[in-house]
Amino acid sequence: MRIAVYAFEGVTMFHLAVPQMVFDEVARQGLGEWTTGLFSDGPDSIRTAEGYQLAGIGGPEAAARADVVVVPSWFDDGRVLGDTLRALLLEAHGRGATVLGLCLGAVAVADAGLLAGRRAVTHWQAFGALGERHPDILLDRSVLYIDHGDVMTSAGTASGLDACLHLVRNRLGADAANTVARSLVVAPHRDGGQAQYVEHPVPKRSTDDPMAHLLEWALGNLGASLTIDRLAEQAHMSRRTFVRAFRATTGTTPSAWIRSRRLDAARRLLETTDLPVDHIARDCGFGNPVTLRQNFAAAFSTTPTDYRRHFTTGASTPILH
C-alpha cells in the first residue's frame, strides 16, 4: 500500500512524523508492503515549525497513485485550502483512495468538500472556526477519530496515532496493530468514544493504584461476569465512587470499556486460532455466539466469520466501520 503525506511550510515535526512512524512500522515489522512518502504543492523543500529544512520532497505527482493520502495538520492561520491540494484530494478520493485529515488537517479535508453532511472531529481549539466555516459538518467533541471508510478525521495532536493505528487494524487486523503499537510503545487501542480534551488534569497513577490493578484483573478475567458491582467490589470501592473513578481513569464507562476489550480479545482469537465462534464468545465473556455477533456487527459492520475469513486469507479489501 502506498501512503502519501502532505508536507507544508511551517508543519510541526511531530504531526509530520506520526503517520510515517505508524505506517512505516508495518513494513519494518514485516506485516505488509507499505511505503510512505512526503509530497508538497510547492518547492521540493520546506522549513518545519522547529526550523528544520526538509529537502527532496515530491510534488503533487508523488501522491497521484497513493492508496492513502494524509493531511497531517494545517497552517496555523487556518487558511482556505488552495486549488492544487483541493484538486489532488478530490482526485484521490474519486479514484478510491482513503483521505485522512489528522488534527487540523480536517480543515483541508472539509474545504475540499469531503465532509459535507458528515460527522467529523478536529483539534478542540479549532471547533468554533471550522463550525462557522462549514456549518453543514456535524462536529463531535467526544471522539478521538471518526472513520467513514473513505475519509477519516482525528482529534488533536496525539490522536493522530490512534487514527493511524485504527487504519492498520482495519487493513491488517488487530494482531498487526498490536504489534505496531508494542514496537512504538503506545496504547494499541484507545476507544474512539473517549473525549479528546479533559478540563481537569488527570493525576499521575502509582503502581499501587487500585484502578490500575482492577483494569489488569479485568483483562485477565474477560470471560467472567464483570458487572459494575463485581468490579467495584474488586476495586474495594462503593459503586458510585467506582463509576466516577473508572471514567476518570479510562474516559468511558465500565460497560463500554469491558465490551471493547472483549471485542479486542475476540478479534485476536478469530485471527490467530481455529476456535469455533461459540467457544470464542464464551471465552471472551459474551456468553453465546448471538451476543458476540450482535456486538461484532455493531462495532465493525461485519460478522465474526467474515472477519476471520478476511484476515486468514490475506484479502486486500479493508474491513471498515
Side-chain angles (χ1 to χ4, degrees):
M1 190 166 75
R2 298 176 296 272
I3 300 109
V5 182
Y6 180 62
F8 57 90
E9 193 75 13
V11 66
T12 67
M13 290 293 293
F14 180 86
H15 288 106
L16 200 58
V18 163
Q20 295 181 87
M21 284 296 296
V22 174
F23 298 143
D24 285 351
E25 194 64 25
V26 170
R28 284 190 288 267
Q29 295 293 327
L31 301 170
E33 296 181 2
W34 289 27
T35 59
T36 309
L38 301 179
F39 76 96
S40 183
D41 49 10
D44 67 352
S45 67
I46 65 163
R47 183 174 295 277
T48 70
E50 296 81 6
Y52 299 112
Q53 192 79 22
L54 301 183
I57 298 172
E61 69 281 353
R65 295 195 306 138
D67 303 292
V68 176
V69 177
V70 184
V71 184
S73 187
W74 196 238
F75 298 92
D76 288 341
D77 61 10
R79 68 188 63 177
V80 175
L81 178 67
D83 292 339
T84 300
L85 185 56
R86 176 185 286 106
L88 187 150
L89 293 178
L90 290 174
E91 186 278 331
H93 182 262
R95 60 179 164 78
T98 301
V99 177
L100 271 64
L102 305 180
C103 194
L104 293 179
V107 173
V109 178
D111 283 352
L114 299 179
L115 294 173
R118 290 175 149 184
R119 289 172 62 240
V121 63
T122 186
H123 193 288
W124 63 271
Q125 289 178 321
F127 264 65
L130 185 58
E132 290 180 7
R133 193 141 117 194
H134 296 284
D136 57 339
I137 296 176
L138 307 174
L139 293 172
D140 190 340
R141 293 178 180 270
S142 67
V143 296
L144 294 177
Y145 55 82
I146 295 175
D147 181 11
H148 293 288
D150 57 332
V151 178
M152 189 189 308
T153 54
S154 80
T157 316
S159 300
L161 284 166
D162 301 290
C164 291
L165 281 169
H166 170 79
L167 188 143
V168 173
R169 189 179 303 109
N170 279 347
R171 299 297 176 100
L172 299 176
D175 199 46
N178 289 344
T179 298
V180 171
R182 281 195 301 270
S183 181
L184 298 179
V185 199
V186 297
H189 187 198
R190 291 197 299 163
D191 294 329
Q194 291 179 355
Q196 62 164 309
Y197 175 59
V198 180
E199 301 237 3
H200 304 289
V202 178
K204 188 174 182 179
R205 299 190 171 273
S206 63
T207 55
D208 61 352
D209 176 27
M211 289 305 300
H213 288 296
L214 181 279
L215 296 178
E216 183 177 358
W217 177 85
L219 288 173
N221 293 274
L222 290 175
S225 175
L226 299 179
T227 63
I228 291 179
D229 288 334
R230 183 173 184 186
L231 292 170
E233 181 183 358
Q234 183 68 27
H236 306 292
M237 298 179 183
S238 69
R239 180 187 176 99
R240 178 178 296 181
T241 300
F242 168 73
V243 171
R244 185 168 57 248
F246 195 95
R247 180 174 286 278
T249 299
T250 67
T252 188
T253 65
S255 59
W257 189 87
I258 293 294
R259 181 172 59 252
S260 184
R261 300 295 75 75
R262 283 172 168 166
L263 287 169
D264 282 346
R267 287 199 289 184
R268 285 193 295 273
L269 290 175
L270 287 167
E271 293 173 22
T272 60
T273 75
D274 295 322
L275 287 172
V277 172
D278 59 337
H279 286 202
I280 293 176
R282 184 179 64 248
D283 291 348
C284 295
F286 288 105
N288 61 74
V290 173
T291 303
L292 171 59
R293 291 189 185 100
Q294 290 173 340
N295 282 273
F296 212 89
F300 311 123
S301 298
T302 189
T303 66
T305 300
D306 285 344
Y307 183 91
R308 167 175 274 168
R309 184 182 302 115
H310 173 81
F311 287 115
T312 56
T313 60
S316 59
T317 303
I319 300 294
L320 298 170
H321 64 82

